Amino acid sequence: MKKLPSLLLALLLIVLCVSGVEALPPSSDFEATILFTHDLHSHFLPQRTEDGGESGGYARLKTAIDRERARHPNALLVDGGDFSIGSLIQTLYTTQAAELRTMGALGYDAATLGNHEFDHTGAGLARMLNAVADSGERLPALVEANYAPAPDNPDRDVILAAMDNYGVAETLLFDRDGVTYGLFGLMGVDSHDCAPTSGFVLENMAQAAQRCVEALEAQGAELILCLSHSGTESGEGEDYALAKAVDGIDVIISGHTHTTLAEPIVVNDTYIVSAGPYCRNLGSITLEKDGDALRLTDYHLTPIDETLPHDPDTAALVEGWKAQVGETYLKRYGLTYDQVLAHSDFSLAPPRSGIQEGNALGELVSDAFLYAANAADRAAGREPQVTVAVTADGVLRAPLAAGDITVSQVFDVLSMGVGSDDTSGFPLVAVYLTGAELRDALEVDASVTPIMPAAQLYCAGIQYSFNTHRMFFNRVTDAQLYEETLRTEPAATIGSGGGQGEYGYTAAHVDTVFSEIDDNQLYRVVTGMYSAQMLGTVKGKSMGLLSLEPKMADGTPVTDFNNCILRDGAGNEIKEWYALAMYLQALGPDGIPARYSAPDGRKTVSRSWNPVELVKSPNWITLLVLAAILLLTIAVVSIVRFTILRKCRRKQI
């Protein structure tokens, strides 16, 4: 009996403790961390930055991944597409699948396909998948829900078999630490437009996403993740529209537009995230699920730069890929991966997106195209003809940093595409346009660039000016051709093995002669294959207001651009990147001239509101608009005058 009060007190304390525990808020259902990249573009190795540092490289990326997984052992690692095309190692794409194999070694769980995975066409994608599908190596799963071979694609069965062999799926489930993740992949509209040789057809994104979300929810997915190669622009864009249209997507890894988001975009309870291109950052997002609520607990981007040590195993793997590139792709050029071609005392950067102005790197590249075309003429025993060389903003993929410029850095600048020889790099092509069509091509630069920055042009052999405030498709105010005489003393042969480089002329300019454009004369235009193919689309995209029809030398329309490819004496394609390599080598020991340190004035952009400048030399479009304005003004004046007279008559009455 003496112990009874003590027992009662103990029971009371137990009851109070139990009540207190029950009164605490319940713990969260789960916490999930997702590590992500997108638009890696084969950036296996670091690149120099303008501030003297370095950015990217898979050996450093692996270090960052390992550090994140030390904090979050069950983190999912995914990629939003365009993991290929952007460095010399991409030349192993169809035979070695270096990108996917390296991503597997880095620990990637899943990825989706971007438009550049189709640069070798759908058949090339199939060869890449088959090259590694049965390797037994750890590989990332591939998800793709709304992009499939077209019914009339002659390689359809081969492609579908390869995708099945690899295990490409619309949706996937991953179980990590008791959490079930549901994944699916999408291709965007603009991304599809940027893959003209894919041979695939695109299903509506929202329709495919809705189907995937419903399927994953039915399978018990607790967190649904979309790997989207669609993108955001200025806080909105295709992925913003997707999140707004489809309920149930928890996270969108947003690739394609090369966007870097310091904070997620949140729309319709969906977190849209982007880490930027070229392996510059590793993204990390941590979410906490509590009932139906999903809360963001952490989001950060880890810069992949010189402050991170190299993972030795990954570094050794990358060195192995470099060696294979030297033994295969570069051998035919007599070049090596890290061979120095020239020196520059200054950096040359790609254009600022959407800003209409000259650009020194674009001008250097167009000069290189012109040099390669003229050198090929001489090598074939022909005298060079009047030629305009053109490169577009969208094909300039990397800067040239100050210092020694190597073969690999030159390739990075012009890394896009595949030639008819099925090897990496767009070839140069020569087509013919009339003088009037040349002026229309300049109007593309002047008028289309504000809405399509990748269409901005940089030229050699033609000098022109335009006013951004003039009427659409009548902005060019002046244009004239120029020719620069080249010295003819022998130049050092590019490459150690001869090969395609024996053109024998330096690139030093000694004289410039200007001439007027004859609207009816045919002029040779040299550009990359992709840009040439885009010329023929100008008429449709401008609703017939501009007309460009690429022609052969005899004036007949081009039916196959492969017939227009520039070749060396041995019949090899002259690639865009190789033309730049030739030109840099030919500049000699003094390196890149100081004139390329800034735009040289061959393109003059005016933003004047001077009325005379706005209406001088009008074409039919401007005249038609002015006539419409005049008629409208007359009509308004007439109505006002009639109204006033009518009121006056009423007062008189």
Side-chain angles (χ1 to χ4, degrees), residues 12 100 102 130 161 169 215 370 396 416 419 422-423 432 434 437 447 500 523 540 577 612 640:
L12 179 61
L100 284 183
T102 305
N130 282 330
L370 184 57
L396 302 174
M416 288 177 60
D422 200 33
T423 67
Y432 290 80
T434 65
E437 289 174 321
S447 297
Q500 298 184 6
Y523 297 98
W577 76 267
V612 175
V640 171

Side-chain angles (χ1 to χ4, degrees), residues 133-407:
D134 301 321
S135 66
E137 298 179 20
R138 188 190 193 285
L139 300 168
L142 288 176
V143 285
E144 181 55 69
N146 71 327
Y147 211 45
D152 60 351
N153 186 329
D155 299 310
R156 176 182 170 84
D157 292 342
V158 172
I159 297 168
L160 289 174
M163 293 174 74
D164 183 63
N165 188 29
Y166 187 92
V168 180
E170 281 198 355
T171 63
L172 287 174
L173 291 176
F174 282 92
D175 288 313
R176 288 286 170 84
D177 193 30
V179 180
T180 302
Y181 296 84
L183 275 68
F184 66 98
L186 293 178
M187 180 76 77
V189 175
D190 185 73
S191 185
H192 169 59
D193 290 343
C194 292
T197 62
S198 70
F200 276 48
V201 291
L202 186 73
E203 180 188 356
N204 177 270
M205 287 178 63
Q207 176 179 303
Q210 188 65 54
R211 181 180 68 249
C212 291
V213 168
E214 291 173 359
L216 290 167
E217 288 177 340
Q219 296 174 73
E222 297 171 276
L223 192 146
I224 294 180
L225 176 62
C226 173
L227 307 184
S228 174
H229 202 72
S230 308
T232 61
E233 295 180 277
S234 302
E236 296 194 1
E238 289 187 54
D239 281 326
Y240 182 95
L242 173 67
K244 198 172 181 180
V246 180
D247 296 334
I249 305 174
D250 295 309
V251 180
I252 296 176
I253 309 298
S254 181
H256 182 56
T257 51
H258 293 195
T259 304
T260 304
L261 292 175
E263 297 292 339
I265 298 170
V266 184
V267 55
N268 194 21
D269 297 325
T270 299
Y271 292 89
I272 304 172
V273 298
S274 295
Y278 306 136
C279 194
R280 290 175 184 160
N281 299 294
L282 172 66
S284 174
I285 181 170
T286 300
L287 299 165
E288 187 177 78
K289 188 73 172 288
D290 187 356
D292 292 331
L294 193 65
R295 293 193 298 268
L296 178 70
T297 60
D298 180 65
Y299 177 82
H300 64 272
L301 306 179
T302 300
I304 310 302
D305 57 24
E306 67 276 7
T307 64
L308 292 173
H310 294 276
D311 173 73
D313 291 339
T314 306
L317 179 61
V318 172
E319 285 300 315
W321 297 135
K322 283 178 60 178
Q324 288 194 46
V325 171
E327 294 162 3
T328 55
Y329 185 79
L330 289 178
K331 186 175 182 180
R332 64 196 290 256
Y333 295 95
L335 297 171
T336 59
Y337 202 101
D338 295 316
Q339 180 179 338
V340 176
L341 297 173
H343 182 86
S344 179
D345 293 330
F346 46 87
S347 296
L348 293 99
R352 295 180 294 165
S353 181
I355 306 299
Q356 290 179 280
E357 60 187 6
N359 177 265
L361 179 60
E363 291 165 4
L364 174 71
V365 169
S366 60
D367 283 347
F369 290 178
L370 184 57
Y371 170 76
N374 290 339
D377 283 341
R378 292 192 178 97
R382 302 186 298 266
E383 276 300 309
Q385 56 187 290
V386 176
T387 300
V388 174
V390 179
T391 190
D393 178 306
V395 304
L396 302 174
R397 309 295 287 185
L400 290 175
D404 289 339
I405 297 172
T406 66
V407 170

Side-chain angles (χ1 to χ4, degrees), residues 268-595:
N268 194 21
D269 297 325
T270 299
Y271 292 89
I272 304 172
V273 298
S274 295
Y278 306 136
C279 194
R280 290 175 184 160
N281 299 294
L282 172 66
S284 174
I285 181 170
T286 300
L287 299 165
E288 187 177 78
K289 188 73 172 288
D290 187 356
D292 292 331
L294 193 65
R295 293 193 298 268
L296 178 70
T297 60
D298 180 65
Y299 177 82
H300 64 272
L301 306 179
T302 300
I304 310 302
D305 57 24
E306 67 276 7
T307 64
L308 292 173
H310 294 276
D311 173 73
D313 291 339
T314 306
L317 179 61
V318 172
E319 285 300 315
W321 297 135
K322 283 178 60 178
Q324 288 194 46
V325 171
E327 294 162 3
T328 55
Y329 185 79
L330 289 178
K331 186 175 182 180
R332 64 196 290 256
Y333 295 95
L335 297 171
T336 59
Y337 202 101
D338 295 316
Q339 180 179 338
V340 176
L341 297 173
H343 182 86
S344 179
D345 293 330
F346 46 87
S347 296
L348 293 99
R352 295 180 294 165
S353 181
I355 306 299
Q356 290 179 280
E357 60 187 6
N359 177 265
L361 179 60
E363 291 165 4
L364 174 71
V365 169
S366 60
D367 283 347
F369 290 178
L370 184 57
Y371 170 76
N374 290 339
D377 283 341
R378 292 192 178 97
R382 302 186 298 266
E383 276 300 309
Q385 56 187 290
V386 176
T387 300
V388 174
V390 179
T391 190
D393 178 306
V395 304
L396 302 174
R397 309 295 287 185
L400 290 175
D404 289 339
I405 297 172
T406 66
V407 170
S408 63
Q409 290 170 319
V410 168
F411 185 91
D412 289 350
V413 175
L414 296 160
S415 58
M416 288 177 60
V418 179
S420 65
D421 60 1
D422 200 33
T423 67
S424 290
F426 280 128
L428 290 182
V429 299
V431 299
Y432 290 80
L433 297 175
T434 65
E437 289 174 321
L438 261 184
R439 296 181 194 275
D440 280 352
L442 301 180
E443 287 293 349
V444 171
D445 183 26
S447 297
V448 178
T449 295
I451 57 176
M452 190 185 296
Q456 184 162 197
L457 304 179
Y458 305 99
C459 303
I462 192 166
Q463 178 176 291
Y464 61 103
S465 59
F466 62 84
N467 187 318
T468 60
H469 294 143
R470 282 171 61 92
M471 186 62 59
F472 251 66
F473 305 135
N474 189 203
R475 291 182 171 175
V476 175
T477 54
D478 184 55
Q480 54 186 167
L481 302 169
Y482 68 84
E483 292 182 79
E484 293 179 319
T485 305
L486 302 178
R487 292 199 181 113
T488 56
E489 61 265 23
T493 298
I494 186 172
S496 58
Q500 298 184 6
E502 298 179 5
Y503 288 105
Y505 294 90
T506 67
H509 307 294
V510 296
D511 192 22
T512 302
V513 178
F514 291 93
S515 61
E516 296 302 314
I517 299 173
D518 182 341
D519 284 353
N520 298 311
Q521 182 178 331
L522 283 178
Y523 297 98
R524 183 170 71 164
V525 177
V526 171
T527 188
M529 174 69 83
Y530 183 79
S531 299
Q533 291 170 334
M534 291 300 101
L535 288 175
T537 68
V538 169
K539 186 173 183 178
K541 291 182 179 297
S542 67
M543 297 173 290
L545 297 177
L546 300 177
S547 179
L548 295 177
E549 184 179 49
K551 302 170 183 64
M552 305 297 290
D554 62 3
T556 58
V558 173
T559 56
D560 185 351
F561 282 100
N562 288 329
N563 297 328
C564 306
I565 292 173
L566 291 183
R567 302 180 183 274
D568 67 6
N572 299 306
E573 294 182 357
I574 301 176
K575 305 287 190 179
E576 288 180 310
W577 76 267
Y578 188 69
L580 179 57
M582 281 196 296
Y583 186 61
L584 293 180
Q585 181 92 350
L587 290 172
D590 292 335
I592 298 180
R595 69 189 183 94

Side-chain angles (χ1 to χ4, degrees), residues 43-173:
H43 273 52
F44 290 76
L45 291 155
Q47 287 192 326
R48 287 182 293 179
T49 58
E50 291 188 17
D51 61 4
E54 291 184 329
S55 177
Y58 293 169
R60 285 174 174 156
L61 175 61
K62 182 61 163 64
T63 298
I65 291 168
D66 289 346
R67 289 181 178 180
E68 289 291 338
R69 278 194 159 149
R71 291 189 285 269
H72 304 282
N74 297 302
L76 209 63
L77 176 59
V78 297
D79 183 81
D82 268 7
F83 48 78
S84 64
I85 310 300
S87 79
L88 272 168
I89 295 178
Q90 78 187 46
T91 62
L92 304 173
Y93 180 75
T94 58
T95 58
Q96 298 296 323
E99 288 81 5
L100 284 183
R101 291 170 68 182
T102 305
M103 291 170 74
L106 292 174
Y108 276 84
D109 295 295
T112 193
L113 300 172
N115 51 288
H116 283 290
E117 273 69 79
F118 296 90
D119 276 15
H120 288 261
T121 74
L125 172 72
R127 291 199 301 275
M128 186 272 291
L129 295 176
N130 282 330
V132 75
D134 301 321
S135 66
E137 298 179 20
R138 188 190 193 285
L139 300 168
L142 288 176
V143 285
E144 181 55 69
N146 71 327
Y147 211 45
D152 60 351
N153 186 329
D155 299 310
R156 176 182 170 84
D157 292 342
V158 172
I159 297 168
L160 289 174
M163 293 174 74
D164 183 63
N165 188 29
Y166 187 92
V168 180
E170 281 198 355
T171 63
L172 287 174
L173 291 176

